[in-house]
Amino acid sequence: MNVLGKALLGFWESSIGKKLIVAVTGIMLVGFLVAHMVGNLLIYQGRESLNDYAYFLHHFLHGWGIWLFRIGLIVAFVLHITATISLVRQNRAARSSRYAFDATVQAPRSSRMMIWSGLTVVGFVIFHLLHFTVPVDPELANMKDPMDPSRHDVYGMVIEGFQNPLVVLFYIVAISFFCTHLNHGISSLFQTLGLRSEKTRGVIGKIGVAVTIVLWLGFLSIPFLTSVNVLKDEGVPDKAAAHGAPVENVTGS
Ligand code: HEM
């Protein structure tokens, strides 16, 4: 193995190396979530804004942009999970050798919660990708933008996708679990990076709670408001009227 390979392996095998990987990939994933939530909120500006945004995402850098971004996201996601599992195993092994005679010793409650809420995230992402990214429902997959039938109607798909109350309930439960994971993850992240001390603990806790609440409200507002019919597909606006142009006299009189 060459020098670089040995250095990378040494980094991966050390506990601090793995913690850094969990922290850095965690920051990347939170960055994705904030960007994804802001992008989703364009739904409140209407069909044109959301569909323009989705069209841009799928076509920037001649369509390569989204794939580069997806590869980065998958690598971050896989590294985040593998490094976490490996750290948990390492800690468990260290703990069981330290407490070889104490059968009652268990992993701390918070880290067990992190594993379960993390698994919910994986389940949610798989469902969500099949719901909106590669929709298995042909009705959602084939929706065309009524103002430009050459492109996908992401706006219509999201609203139609939240017409089923069970789907809405699933999103509410899964995203709420996911937010508990995020809240705990954000404060652990500061600790890993050596930024959490007695002095900063309070502020860091508040940052974690604030980021989590903003994401929770931002994401869940869409399925919730759709399910109570506040957010609905209003059809195609009359472009001329929308831009304040005088309405033509259709009778010609
Ligand atoms: C209820 C709130 C959410 C809505 C309305 C929503 C909407 C969407 C839509 C419409 C797409 C497909 C975009 C397209 O292909 O044009 C998408 C993709 C995606 N969403 Fe969400 N999303 C929500 C929450 C989340 C959450 C909480 C996560 C992460 C845990 C997430 C992760 C993803 C991922 C990974 C993709 C695939 C991105 C890609 O195409 O590469 N979404 N979402």
Side-chain angles (χ1 to χ4, degrees), residues 32-33 36 40 58 70 124 128-129 133 154 158 171 219 223:
F32 160 74
L33 284 172
H36 188 37
N40 285 347
H58 285 266
R70 281 174 177 164
F124 166 75
H128 183 54
L129 292 180
T133 303
V154 176
V158 171
Y171 269 77
F219 277 127

Side-chain angles (χ1 to χ4, degrees), residues 160-173:
E160 190 54 39
F162 291 132
Q163 294 305 314
N164 182 337
L166 284 178
V167 171
V168 172
L169 185 68
F170 173 76
Y171 269 77
I172 293 177
V173 173

Side-chain angles (χ1 to χ4, degrees), residues 32-33 36-37 40 43 50 53-55 57-58 66 69-70 73 77 121 124-125 128-129 132-134 152 154-155 157-158 162 171 175 178 215 218-223:
F32 160 74
L33 284 172
H36 188 37
M37 184 204 70
N40 285 347
I43 200 165
L50 188 67
Y53 166 69
Y55 185 86
L57 285 184
H58 285 266
I66 193 159
F69 161 80
R70 281 174 177 164
L73 197 61
F77 197 60
V121 176
F124 166 75
V125 171
H128 183 54
L129 292 180
F132 286 152
T133 303
V134 272
H152 188 207
V154 176
Y155 175 89
M157 171 181 78
V158 171
F162 291 132
Y171 269 77
I175 292 183
F178 168 65
L215 286 171
F219 277 127
L220 285 185
S221 66
I222 300 171

Side-chain angles (χ1 to χ4, degrees), residues 47 155 159 230-237:
R47 188 189 308 272
Y155 175 89
I159 293 189
V230 170
L231 183 61
K232 52 189 169 200
D233 193 340
E234 303 276 9
V236 186

Side-chain angles (χ1 to χ4, degrees), residues 54-189:
Y55 185 86
F56 164 77
L57 285 184
H58 285 266
H59 291 87
F60 80 107
L61 298 180
H62 304 284
W64 282 92
I66 193 159
W67 283 104
L68 290 174
F69 161 80
R70 281 174 177 164
I71 291 168
L73 197 61
I74 292 170
V75 170
F77 197 60
V78 171
L79 277 177
H80 189 77
I81 295 175
T82 355
T84 308
I85 294 175
S86 170
L87 264 178
V88 169
R89 283 206 177 134
Q90 219 167 314
N91 290 346
R92 207 169 274 171
R95 209 178 298 117
S96 62
S97 65
R98 225 181 305 146
Y99 301 100
F101 301 106
D102 184 354
T104 61
V105 171
Q106 288 182 336
R109 214 172 141 241
S110 59
S111 80
R112 271 181 290 135
M113 264 305 286
M114 281 303 269
I115 298 173
W116 284 110
S117 54
L119 285 174
T120 319
V121 176
V122 176
F124 166 75
V125 171
I126 295 172
F127 179 90
H128 183 54
L129 292 180
L130 296 174
H131 192 205
F132 286 152
T133 303
V134 272
V136 284
D137 178 346
E139 194 191 340
L140 299 186
N142 298 325
M143 291 184 94
K144 296 286 169 236
D145 186 334
M147 291 182 292
D148 177 358
S150 68
R151 65 184 193 176
H152 188 207
D153 185 14
V154 176
Y155 175 89
M157 171 181 78
V158 171
I159 293 189
E160 190 54 39
F162 291 132
Q163 294 305 314
N164 182 337
L166 284 178
V167 171
V168 172
L169 185 68
F170 173 76
Y171 269 77
I172 293 177
V173 173
I175 292 183
S176 301
F177 256 109
F178 168 65
C179 284
T180 64
H181 183 87
L182 206 67
N183 185 30
H184 183 84
I186 292 173
S187 27
S188 321
L189 196 141

